[in-house]
């Protein structure tokens, strides 16, 4: 459910979530705990990809790794050029590993992230999985 706080009209909402810059968008769980944060303006495709990434983080935190992997995969399919696409692919692989304990999920993820986004921080993070089989 979207909720909007205007910093000047509702400073307590802005302070509660320690927002330091506008706009700040948060994806919260049912208890109001932050699971994902987007700060500053983004182009439409990057913004939508970040929101969808946040939905994946919600499912991941709930322990629903199948749903998390689907959400993360959707980011890559719908927004392949978005800056968050390599991060989404990384977390999709982590979700698959958490569900199955199969290290091939990590190795496959490392290979794809390194091939598609070789200069990303997510390729560096996934690189330790290259010898996982």
């Amino acid at each position: 459910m979207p909720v909007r706080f205007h910093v000047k009209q509702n400073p307590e909402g802005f302070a509660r979530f320690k927002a330091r810059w506008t706009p700040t968008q948060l994806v919260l769980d049912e208890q109001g705990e932050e699971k994902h944060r987007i700060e500053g303006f983004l182009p439409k495709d990057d913004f939508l990809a970040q929101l969808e990434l946040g939905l994946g983080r919600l499912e991941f935190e709930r322990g629903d790794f199948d749903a998390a992997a689907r959400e993360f995969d959707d980011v890559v399919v719908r927004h392949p050029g978005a800056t968050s696409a390599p991060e989404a692919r990384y977390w999709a692989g982590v979700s698959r590993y958490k569900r199955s304990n199969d290290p091939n999920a990590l190795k496959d993820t490392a290979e794809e992230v390194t091939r598609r986004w070789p200069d990303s921080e997510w390729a560096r993070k996934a690189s330790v999985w290259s010898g996982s089989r």
Side-chain angles (χ1 to χ4, degrees):
M1 165 187 343
V3 176
R4 180 178 177 184
F5 292 107
H6 189 283
V7 65
K8 292 181 181 176
Q9 296 169 352
N10 193 334
E12 63 276 1
F14 204 68
R16 173 182 174 204
F17 295 106
K18 297 180 177 71
R20 303 287 181 242
W21 187 242
T22 60
T24 297
Q25 292 87 23
L26 305 173
V27 177
L28 310 173
D29 66 12
E30 292 84 1
Q31 290 74 40
E33 290 186 37
E34 180 181 330
K35 300 300 175 190
H36 189 70
R37 176 179 290 248
I38 307 164
E39 294 177 309
F41 288 100
L42 289 170
K44 178 183 171 183
D45 196 51
D46 287 313
F47 178 70
L48 293 173
Q50 280 288 328
L51 286 177
E52 291 175 23
L53 187 69
L55 295 176
R57 297 293 302 175
L58 277 175
E59 298 298 347
F60 187 87
E61 293 292 325
R62 288 182 183 132
D64 189 343
F65 301 119
D66 286 327
R70 283 192 303 274
E71 291 286 353
F72 294 132
D73 285 340
D74 283 349
V75 172
V76 177
V77 169
R78 292 181 190 151
H79 313 283
T83 57
S84 57
E87 180 179 2
R89 179 55 72 215
Y90 176 94
W91 285 108
V94 171
S95 298
R96 287 187 178 85
Y97 173 75
K98 296 282 279 180
R99 180 191 68 223
S100 68
N101 288 318
D102 180 1
N104 290 324
L106 299 177
K107 179 162 173 118
D108 294 344
T109 298
E111 289 172 358
E112 181 180 0
V113 172
T114 300
R115 180 177 43 79
R116 291 181 71 179
W117 304 282
D119 297 326
S120 72
E121 76 174 285
W122 300 98
R124 289 188 295 283
K125 288 181 179 189
S127 69
V128 299
W129 302 335
S130 294
S132 295
R133 288 186 199 220

